[in-house]
Amino acid sequence: MTEIRLANVTKTYAGGQTAVDGVDLTIHDGEFFVLLGPSGCGKSTTLRMIAGLEPISSGDLFIGERRMNEVDPKDRDLAFVFQNYALFPHLTVKGNLTFGMKLRGVPASEQERRLAEVTAMLGLAPYLDRKPGQLSGGQRQRVALGRALLRDPVAFLLDEPLSNLDAKLRAQMRTELVKLHRRVGRTIIHVTHDQIEAMTMADRICIMHDGKVAQVGAPMEVYRNPADTFVATFTGSPPMNLVPGRLENGAVHFAGASLPLDAKAAAGEVTAGFRPEDLSLAALPDRVEIQTSVVAVETLGADAILVVSLAGGQEIEMRVPADTRLEPGSPVSVHLDPDRLRLFDRQTGKAIVRAR
């Protein structure tokens, strides 16, 4: 078992800018682990520190039981796939794939055996004599992955490898990466700003914000139980609705509605959160009724997004059937599943544990 562990890892640049601030993470052997967050949150810097491409300012990095802070990148037994794939333009696909093996002195017969295995796995056999400029984006990405596979590393580090692909090809390559992970069984650490990539591929997601870890967990755990309002709004499309509320007299009051709660938090100002799919137009048993007015219906194909306005003017969104027809300005009652309501401290944004 080879875990990758970061203990209070910080990266501060010469000008005093802190890109990564006290990150503690344990990435399990064989795990598909995704670092997710907006641009500038520190996710790529974290990946580069694991790879040894960025020096660690403070803290410790361990691969297995070995501290790796001062170990050269070439000696870490990691394979890095860059966003731009970093292929040699003057070499053929075969030349790119075998380059590393030749440097390491792998015997020619072994090179051919491993090359045949990887090209069959990735469907690259028809392209071995082509150069990168003659390949599509998806083909170049597969060559970069193949080159990494031929190293047979402890872990694969992928820095936004799908960001240069169109939407259809991204969806195909997400599936291919998941299948590849199942076949090789090695740790993958994947950096992305795309929550769909994270939700569909990860065993666990680490959401980063301003150089810190905001939350780590399984995709649906992070989605259903966000640790704070940043995670709540960064995950989900549309994101979680957040409306002001107040805890008082054993109930939470929000959006003109009230919901009794057990006394788990002190009275005070809170933010109430609920996902668009947690609302319905149907008045089902035990649902919390909220009075709104229609703003717009945005048809997406399989379903639609109904945008409605609360009494104070704030707009919220909900998922409805694609054939929903409502006139803008007309009043409509929407109904919230109370089990799905999440509460956050108004000042800190942190989640409040509640019980009904």
Side-chain angles (χ1 to χ4, degrees):
M1 296 287 287
T2 305
E3 288 188 336
I4 297 174
R5 183 163 59 89
L6 291 80
N8 198 29
V9 167
T10 295
K11 175 64 182 180
T12 303
Y13 291 104
Q17 177 191 1
T18 298
V20 175
D21 189 4
V23 165
D24 290 299
L25 282 176
T26 298
I27 300 160
H28 306 307
D29 183 56
E31 184 172 36
F32 201 128
F33 191 86
V34 172
L35 294 169
L36 173 67
S39 297
C41 72
K43 57 189 185 297
S44 288
T45 303
T46 300
L47 191 74
R48 292 174 66 85
M49 285 191 290
I50 294 171
L53 303 178
E54 288 280 359
I56 295 172
S57 302
S58 64
D60 297 296
L61 168 70
F62 296 90
I63 298 179
E65 298 301 317
R66 185 183 179 190
R67 184 177 181 272
M68 306 298 286
N69 291 44
E70 286 79 35
V71 175
D72 286 341
K74 64 182 178 62
D75 298 323
R76 297 191 182 197
D77 199 16
L78 303 171
F80 201 106
V81 178
F82 294 88
Q83 183 176 357
N84 63 0
Y85 314 133
L87 302 177
F88 296 114
H90 63 289
L91 295 180
T92 63
V93 168
K94 182 176 180 179
N96 271 279
L97 290 172
T98 59
F99 184 82
M101 291 192 291
K102 289 178 180 177
L103 281 183
R104 295 191 298 275
V106 176
S109 59
E110 178 66 7
Q111 287 185 38
E112 291 299 325
R113 185 192 68 78
R114 292 170 63 182
L115 178 67
E117 182 181 318
V118 168
T119 53
M121 183 188 302
L122 296 175
L124 290 173
Y127 312 111
L128 288 178
D129 294 326
R130 296 189 189 181
K131 292 185 177 179
Q134 299 171 297
L135 302 176
S136 69
Q139 290 163 349
R140 287 196 294 271
Q141 194 229 34
R142 280 185 278 160
V143 175
L145 286 171
R147 186 174 57 186
L149 280 168
L150 285 165
R151 288 198 58 187
D152 194 25
V154 168
F156 299 94
L157 311 183
L158 312 182
D159 190 8
E160 304 220 36
L162 309 185
S163 61
N164 295 328
L165 307 180
D166 62 50
K168 182 179 179 181
L169 192 51
R170 271 203 309 272
Q172 292 173 351
M173 293 310 299
R174 287 199 303 266
T175 302
E176 291 303 315
L177 278 174
V178 171
K179 288 161 60 178
L180 179 64
H181 178 246
R182 288 174 182 163
R183 284 181 190 172
V184 300
R186 297 298 173 88
T187 304
I188 293 179
I189 307 175
H190 180 111
V191 162
T192 184
H193 63 272
D194 186 331
Q195 58 169 300
I196 296 176
E197 284 182 31
M199 292 293 292
T200 55
M201 296 194 297
D203 294 320
R204 285 191 303 149
I205 298 172
C206 169
I207 298 181
M208 297 189 67
H209 183 219
D210 291 339
K212 297 179 181 292
V213 173
Q215 187 172 1
V216 179
M220 286 309 297
E221 173 62 23
V222 170
Y223 182 79
R224 275 295 166 205
N225 298 297
D228 57 28
T229 51
F230 171 78
V231 176
T233 54
F234 191 77
T235 55
S237 181
M240 180 176 277
N241 297 298
L242 297 178
V243 300
R246 180 171 180 79
L247 284 174
E248 193 172 41
N249 299 326
V252 58
H253 308 276
F254 65 100
S258 296
L259 176 64
L261 300 176
D262 291 341
K264 290 289 183 180
E269 302 297 319
V270 297
T271 298
F274 42 91
R275 296 282 181 194
E277 63 269 24
D278 299 334
L279 296 165
S280 72
L281 294 174
L284 301 174
D286 299 326
R287 294 268 172 143
V288 177
E289 185 176 11
I290 301 172
Q291 299 300 322
T292 72
S293 61
V294 176
V295 175
V297 180
E298 301 171 351
T299 302
L300 302 178
D303 57 10
I305 301 299
L306 173 62
V307 184
V308 296
S309 175
L310 302 175
Q314 181 180 349
E315 294 180 0
I316 61 173
E317 297 176 303
M318 62 182 290
R319 291 193 180 276
V320 294
D323 59 357
T324 299
R325 297 290 181 268
L326 292 169
E327 287 298 318
S330 61
V332 61
S333 296
V334 301
H335 304 271
L336 170 66
D337 180 348
D339 291 332
R340 298 298 194 185
L341 181 68
R342 297 294 177 261
L343 300 178
F344 305 90
D345 184 277
R346 183 81 66 83
Q347 297 300 318
T348 67
K350 299 295 184 183
I352 299 171
V353 177
R354 73 176 187 86
R356 288 190 60 193

